[in-house]
Amino acid sequence: PVWLRAHGSVGFPRDGVRVVLKDGPGGPGGPSVRIDVDLVNADAEDVLLDVTLGAVRGSVRTTGTSASVTLDVPGLQRWSAEAPHLYDFAVTATTAGAVADSWTQRVGLRTVSTVPGVGLLVNGAPVLLRGACIHHDNGVLGATTLAAADHRRVSILKDNGFNAIR
């Protein structure tokens, strides 16, 4: 599939919206999530950015080409391989009372880091990668991509302790 994103003088460029889980306890409602937004704002218009992450909302006004919104998310559920919780996320840019552009996506919130001598940490816990090299074909099915066959193959690998694929 090919997707064409068209917008007027205000819009979101490719990879212009980022959701970042801030490490630490956050505010009184829970951990903090920072949403960084880059904008195409050719005429330096007054833009209202409305952000929704699950049931939490926030907004900010800008006339520039970037902005950030920080949200406290009570009861935040972090994404992990064992519990892949996803949030519905949306950001809308409004100018002069009309929607100029919008972006929706499902996102998982987690922290990933590497520490010398410890290794890979996901949500602060060490993760040992146990992987396999998977070829493009599906055996007797041939070199076709079938969602059910790929899901079956990944489920079998996960059931056998694998957590990485190359």
Side-chain angles (χ1 to χ4, degrees), residues 120 127-131 161 163-164:
L120 176 68
V127 173
L128 179 63
L129 294 178
R130 294 175 295 277
N163 63 3

Side-chain angles (χ1 to χ4, degrees), residues 71-92:
L71 303 174
D72 291 334
V73 182
L76 182 129
Q77 294 179 306
R78 293 176 184 249
W79 183 96
S80 70
E82 295 77 28
H85 183 79
L86 296 174
Y87 286 90
D88 290 320
F89 168 72
V91 60
T92 303

Side-chain angles (χ1 to χ4, degrees), residues 15 21 25 34 58 62 67 69 73 76 102 114 123 151 158 161 166:
D15 299 327
L21 177 61
R34 187 183 74 232
T62 184
V69 177
V73 182
L76 182 129
S102 63
T114 55
N123 295 324
H151 185 270
K158 192 169 181 178
R166 183 189 76 79

Side-chain angles (χ1 to χ4, degrees), residues 132-151:
C133 177
I134 303 297
H135 295 275
H136 73 283
D137 66 339
N138 280 309
V140 298
L141 297 176
T144 185
T145 301
L146 300 171
D150 289 338
H151 185 270

Side-chain angles (χ1 to χ4, degrees), residues 5 7-14 16 37-45 47 49 62-66 93 95 100-101:
R5 288 191 39 87
H7 55 77
S9 62
V10 173
F12 305 118
R14 182 175 178 213
V37 179
D38 293 334
L39 283 170
V40 173
N41 192 354
D43 299 328
E45 296 181 51
V47 179
L49 294 173
T62 184
T63 56
T65 58
S66 65
T95 60
D101 202 357

